[in-house]
């Protein structure tokens, strides 16, 4: 005898996976991410055509924000009959900026991540296509870069609708106060990010772009757009709690208070290692502090990481973080795997 203990629920894939996170060659729940993004570009083109006509704007070129928006931007350009150009060159050694802690860090890394080619912007009305607009930090910097490169007009198009609500199912989405679309109209968003016009995908078009490739999927999690959470039970108190944990101020305070694993100054560690031969117990103590896979930290000036990430004088003060991967032997220096942070 069998008994159903809980009501049957339909599967509801996260829409933001198709918009942003997934690789284009992925197939999620039977839906090709590549084909879904092509469909997003087709739908966005129709919306853009209407809004551009209403504003009397003629676009000279369509330029994607690499990499996620390329597929949709190409489809949009083909539908509008406008040239598609790669106007931004991406530095592949800078990660995704929207999840970086701190507004200033995100702003600086957008500039390090992308470089605008003036040839594609000079004296043109440019339609820039991005997968989504979250905080607006990236969009604001990109638009300013386009203007600095000589763009006459800058229109921003998003493959996703305005993001007005936080995610609660695993994506480190910012609090509502940090979302550029929260409490703002589309015109106010344009003013905030510095665009002449901002064009958003409609939610029905976005859902259809994915659902058409697998009719068995009846529902998607679109909570970041609608505020309707598929599992239910997401209360205002819970949202306030996670916003407090995720807020930039909380992250900064946690970093300053030394939350997390203790960090050891690598210079001091090296000096201690070099004088350890006189005492076996001293060497054992060092190995306890700096042994297998222990975190270490050194603060040094940092030159521009886009130039290869070498530690050198004359740049911003940054932290060099590494892991000691061997137990220290007598007269040996720590062996480190080094990473860079531009905080």
């Amino acid at each position: 005898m069998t008994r159903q203990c809980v009501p049957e629920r339909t599967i509801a894939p996260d829409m933001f996976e198709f918009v942003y996170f997934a690789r284009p060659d992925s197939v999620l729940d039977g839906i090709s991410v590549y084909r879904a993004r092509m469909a997003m570009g087709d739908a966005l083109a129709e919306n853009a055509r209407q809004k551009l006509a209403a504003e009397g704007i003629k676009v000279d070129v369509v330029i994607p924000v690499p990499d996620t928006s390329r597929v949709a931007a190409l489809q949009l350009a083909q539908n509008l009959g406008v040239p598609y150009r790669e106007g931004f060159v991406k530095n592949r050694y800078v990660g995704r900026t929207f999840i970086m802690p701190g507004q200033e860090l995100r702003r600086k890394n957008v500039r390090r991540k992308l470089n605008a080619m003036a040839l594609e912007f000079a004296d043109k009305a440019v339609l820039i296509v991005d997968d989504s607009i979250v905080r607006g930090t990236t969009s604001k910097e990109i638009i300013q870069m386009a203007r600095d490169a000589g763009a006459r007009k800058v229109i921003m198009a998003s493959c996703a609708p305005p993001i007005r609500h936080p995610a609660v199912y695993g994506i480190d989405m910012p609090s509502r106060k940090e979302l550029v679309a929260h409490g703002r109209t589309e015109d106010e968003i344009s003013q905030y990010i510095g665009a002449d016009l901002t064009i958003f995908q409609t939610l029905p078009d976005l859902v259809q772009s994915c659902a058409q490739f697998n009719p068995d999927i009846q529902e998607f999690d679109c909570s970041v757009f609608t505020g309707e959470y598929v599992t239910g039970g997401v209360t205002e108190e819970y949202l306030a709690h996670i916003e407090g944990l995720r807020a930039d101020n909380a992250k900064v305070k946690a970093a300053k208070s030394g939350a997390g694993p203790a960090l050891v100054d690598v210079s001091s560690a090296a000096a201690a290692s070099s004088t350890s031969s006189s005492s076996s117990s001293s060497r054992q103590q060092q190995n306890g502090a700096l042994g297998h896979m222990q975190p270490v930290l050194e603060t040094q000036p940092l030159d521009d990481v886009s130039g290869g990430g070498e530690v050198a004088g004359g740049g911003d003060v940054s932290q060099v973080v590494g892991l000691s991967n061997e137990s220290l032997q007598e007269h040996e220096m720590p062996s480190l795997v080094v990473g860079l942070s531009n905080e």
Side-chain angles (χ1 to χ4, degrees):
M1 178 178 177
T2 60
R3 181 167 63 94
Q4 184 171 331
C5 299
V6 295
E8 184 178 357
R9 298 295 300 268
T10 59
I11 184 172
D14 188 339
M15 183 59 76
F16 213 62
E17 291 281 355
F18 296 94
V19 169
Y20 177 62
F21 277 113
R23 284 169 45 129
D25 55 347
S26 300
V27 177
L28 305 179
D29 298 300
I31 301 172
S32 164
V33 174
Y34 181 80
R35 294 182 68 191
R37 289 178 182 168
M38 288 179 66
M40 291 177 201
D42 291 333
L44 185 59
E46 292 306 310
N47 192 13
R49 192 192 313 277
Q50 296 174 19
K51 293 202 171 184
L52 291 171
E55 296 292 330
I57 299 174
K58 184 179 184 301
V59 171
D60 298 313
V61 64
V62 172
I63 293 177
V65 177
D67 290 311
T68 317
S69 64
R70 281 187 169 127
V71 176
L74 182 56
Q75 286 297 112
L76 182 146
Q78 290 177 344
N79 278 274
L80 294 182
V82 176
Y84 169 92
R85 295 288 184 269
E86 293 282 350
F88 292 106
V89 178
K90 182 180 179 181
N91 175 1
R92 300 188 179 277
Y93 300 99
V94 178
R96 284 171 164 158
T97 56
F98 99 96
I99 56 175
M100 291 180 176
Q103 184 78 358
E104 183 62 19
L105 179 63
R106 289 189 293 269
R107 188 193 66 79
K108 289 170 65 176
N109 276 283
V110 170
R111 290 278 179 166
R112 291 187 173 112
K113 184 176 183 177
L114 298 173
N115 186 48
M117 293 190 290
L119 176 67
E120 299 296 351
F121 291 92
D123 199 33
K124 294 179 181 178
V126 181
L127 176 57
I128 297 176
V129 181
D130 206 351
D131 50 74
S132 58
I133 301 175
V134 183
R135 289 183 177 93
T137 307
T138 301
S139 300
K140 181 183 287 189
E141 289 297 323
I142 285 171
I143 290 167
Q144 187 56 53
M145 290 167 63
R147 295 196 189 280
D148 292 344
R152 178 169 38 86
K153 280 185 178 294
V154 181
I155 299 91
M156 197 76 186
S158 168
C159 295
I163 297 172
R164 305 185 190 276
H165 306 275
V168 299
Y169 300 125
I171 299 175
D172 189 13
M173 193 73 75
S175 67
R176 286 166 289 186
K177 293 182 293 183
E178 297 175 51
L179 296 170
V180 68
H182 182 70
R184 289 187 175 95
T185 65
E186 293 187 13
D187 288 340
E188 289 170 338
I189 294 171
S190 296
Q191 184 177 6
Y192 179 84
I193 64 178
D196 294 290
L197 177 67
T198 304
I199 303 168
F200 287 97
Q201 186 87 270
T202 67
L203 185 57
D205 284 345
L206 178 61
V207 171
Q208 180 59 24
S209 297
C210 298
Q212 63 181 299
F213 298 111
N214 185 356
D216 292 335
I217 303 295
Q218 300 294 317
E219 184 180 7
F220 290 85
D221 172 39
C222 300
S223 54
V224 295
F225 310 118
T226 65
E228 300 172 2
Y229 298 93
V230 294
T231 58
V234 179
T235 64
E236 183 64 28
E237 291 75 17
Y238 179 73
L239 290 177
H241 172 68
I242 62 172
E243 284 178 359
L245 296 176
R246 291 172 172 176
D248 282 343
N249 288 340
K251 292 178 180 178
V252 171
K253 287 178 182 178
K256 288 183 178 179
S257 66
L263 296 176
V264 182
D265 190 311
V266 69
S267 300
S268 302
S273 175
S274 65
T275 59
S276 63
S277 59
S278 61
S279 171
S280 173
S281 61
S282 175
R283 182 168 64 250
Q284 292 173 355
Q285 185 177 6
Q286 290 168 30
N287 286 339
L290 298 169
H292 189 67
M293 298 304 287
Q294 294 296 315
V296 294
L297 169 70
E298 184 176 15
T299 300
Q300 293 187 10
L302 175 67
D303 227 348
D304 184 7
V305 295
S306 63
E310 295 182 358
V311 176
D316 298 332
V317 173
S318 298
Q319 291 179 336
V320 181
V321 180
L323 297 174
S324 175
N325 58 13
E326 294 179 359
S327 295
L328 296 178
Q329 301 299 322
E330 190 171 351
H331 303 302
E332 287 186 348
M333 301 289 284
S335 177
L336 300 178
V337 179
V338 177
L340 301 176
S341 169
N342 289 320
E343 297 187 61

